[in-house]
Amino acid sequence: DFSQLLAMEARVVSRAIVKGQHFAEITLLLDNGELSTFLGPARKNRPEALKDCLELRKIAAKCTDDLKLLQLKKRKVELEDTTWTVKDLGGRLLDGAEGPPPGFKPPSWMPAPAEAGGLGGAPLGYVSPGKYRAPVPKAKEEDSVYSFKTRKLIVECADADVRDLVATNDWESKAKVALQQAFKKFGPVLEVRVGFKSDDGEKVACIRFASAKAVDLAMSKAQRGWLPVGDKHVRVRQPAVEAKAECRSFVAPRRAAPALESAPNKKKLRPNERFASKQDADDDPSPPQAPTEPSGTCPGPTPGPSPPPVEAVPVEPDRPVPLAMDEATSAEDREVASGEEEITREMKGLLLKPFSQQKKALKAIRAKWHP
């Protein structure tokens, strides 16, 4: 039966194509009898495009009744923000990525390249016998060494500044490490390349981040177009078209780099160490200078040494006194007084312990009386 044969044929076919970059191409036979072609996001290599074929083909097989392919478009937007790893592309995960889905026959409705009127193998625009709908060429962005997606993730550094980071012959490998360490605080760094030729023909070092937020953070931290790398500075710029005008070009090299901020002292001091310097400054005031006497007068008697200053003994604050009990004291007051006496004994014992153990003992007392 022809209807049963058609039911076993695939209505969705996928393949990976190359048009400057690698793309996943999905061809669908819609319910109204028309053929529709859908391209996935641009990829750097063929395995990533094959992975997109698997993801888009699963969605396309369920939406042949959707003439606008809204679900496919939504999935494409999600894939544009997805970076495939070696774990996603390794092994036999990409087997069967091209062609019909598993369990379906190759479709008979796909015309051969010769049936397309000799139009260079463009049968994916085929609508019906005798009709051909040429694919609409998409408006291309200006010629660039970066793809549309990658340009948003790139920060470029001036090649002259990168060469000054390391004064050795093998400066490239060491400069890559220095740039990786300096820029990873803004976000995950996927790639660092030095001696790269940019769109304007100038040699630069490019840093590719995993997200555009890291690029925005790095450019926001640049002071007058400079970013610190180790003990030096490099000039940075952003090649993306959406970037601000002042961020798309390097500043003049004659402009002095901003001063490096000293690293903060991260050593934590104990309370007695924090206040020791202040007490020493108060206890050791600078000795007053003796007044000079005019010449020609007899010097008076030399004053004796001044008595040592009397150290002020800090006054101990009043400690809480437990409640005094008598015959008229109620049972509730007696319970309160016994609790106060126990707390007083524990606090006296706390003061006799070393300073390093007092905080732990105080926590134990609080947990006991204030659960």
Side-chain angles (χ1 to χ4, degrees):
D1 186 27
F2 179 78
S3 60
Q4 294 180 357
L5 178 63
L6 185 61
M8 295 299 296
E9 290 184 354
R11 305 190 66 177
V12 178
V13 179
S14 61
R15 66 172 181 173
I17 62 173
V18 180
K19 293 182 178 179
Q21 290 183 292
H22 297 267
F23 296 88
E25 186 180 61
I26 308 297
T27 306
L28 304 88
L29 177 61
L30 301 178
D31 292 348
N32 61 356
E34 292 187 0
L35 286 181
S36 179
T37 304
F38 187 83
L39 286 182
R43 295 297 186 181
K44 294 177 62 177
N45 50 51
R46 178 178 172 81
E48 293 182 354
L50 291 176
K51 184 65 175 178
D52 291 343
C53 287
L54 292 172
E55 297 295 325
L56 293 175
R57 191 176 63 186
K58 290 188 296 185
I59 303 299
K62 303 176 183 178
C63 62
T64 54
D65 57 341
D66 184 9
L67 302 182
K68 295 184 179 180
L69 306 178
L70 297 179
Q71 297 183 24
L72 271 180
K73 294 177 181 179
K74 180 180 178 181
R75 182 57 178 155
K76 178 182 178 180
V77 174
E78 296 175 356
L79 291 178
E80 287 178 349
D81 298 331
T82 303
T83 302
W84 299 119
T85 62
V86 178
K87 184 178 179 181
D88 301 323
L89 308 176
R92 302 179 62 89
L93 296 176
L94 303 181
D95 290 354
E98 291 185 299
F104 290 87
K105 295 181 180 180
S108 59
W109 42 264
M110 281 286 291
E115 298 175 7
L119 295 175
L124 295 181
Y126 181 80
V127 179
S128 61
K131 295 183 180 180
Y132 176 77
R133 178 170 54 190
V136 179
K138 293 186 178 180
K140 276 191 173 182
E141 197 184 359
E142 57 180 347
D143 294 336
S144 173
V145 295
Y146 307 111
S147 64
F148 178 76
K149 178 184 176 182
T150 308
R151 293 187 69 175
K152 303 177 182 178
L153 310 177
I154 294 293
V155 171
E156 294 180 343
C157 303
D159 185 72
D161 299 337
V162 175
R163 290 176 180 270
D164 293 340
L165 295 177
V166 183
T168 56
N169 295 331
D170 56 340
W171 64 273
E172 293 187 0
S173 59
K174 294 184 179 180
K176 285 183 180 180
V177 176
L179 293 174
Q180 176 88 15
Q181 295 296 326
F183 283 86
K184 71 178 183 180
K185 61 184 177 181
F186 305 118
V189 177
L190 300 181
E191 185 183 12
V192 178
R193 300 177 64 180
V194 296
F196 184 75
K197 198 170 184 180
S198 186
D199 293 338
D200 55 0
E202 184 178 358
K203 281 191 175 182
V204 296
C206 65
I207 295 92
R208 181 162 68 96
F209 288 95
S211 65
K213 292 183 180 179
V215 177
D216 297 337
L217 180 60
M219 297 305 298
S220 65
K221 296 296 183 180
Q223 300 180 11
R224 303 194 304 271
W226 297 82
L227 269 179
V229 178
D231 56 349
K232 297 184 180 180
H233 284 78
V234 296
R235 290 169 289 159
V236 294
R237 71 179 180 185
Q238 189 177 358
V241 180
E242 298 83 0
K244 298 179 181 178
E246 60 269 16
C247 297
R248 292 201 296 266
S249 59
F250 293 126
V251 297
R254 61 179 178 274
R255 183 177 299 179
L260 286 173
E261 297 180 359
S262 59
N265 186 12
K266 298 183 179 179
K267 181 181 178 182
K268 298 184 68 175
L269 301 178
R270 294 181 178 180
N272 56 345
E273 295 175 347
R274 288 202 301 267
F275 297 105
S277 58
K278 296 182 180 179
Q279 293 177 359
D280 295 343
D282 296 341
D283 295 342
D284 299 334
S286 58
Q289 298 181 356
T292 58
E293 295 182 359
S295 59
T297 59
C298 296
T302 310
S306 59
V310 180
E311 296 183 359
V313 180
V315 180
E316 183 178 358
D318 296 335
R319 299 184 180 181
V321 180
L323 182 66
M325 295 182 293
D326 52 12
E327 298 179 353
T329 305
S330 61
E332 182 178 357
D333 292 340
R334 293 179 184 276
E335 290 292 335
V336 173
S338 62
E340 292 178 350
E341 292 176 357
E342 185 176 355
I343 293 177
T344 302
R345 289 195 301 270
E346 293 179 355
M347 293 299 295
K348 288 181 179 179
L350 183 145
L351 297 176
L352 299 178
K353 294 183 178 181
F355 178 78
S356 59
Q357 301 179 8
Q358 290 181 3
K359 187 175 182 180
K360 185 176 181 180
L362 181 60
K363 287 184 178 180
I365 296 175
R366 288 178 176 176
K368 180 180 179 181
W369 295 101
H370 300 280

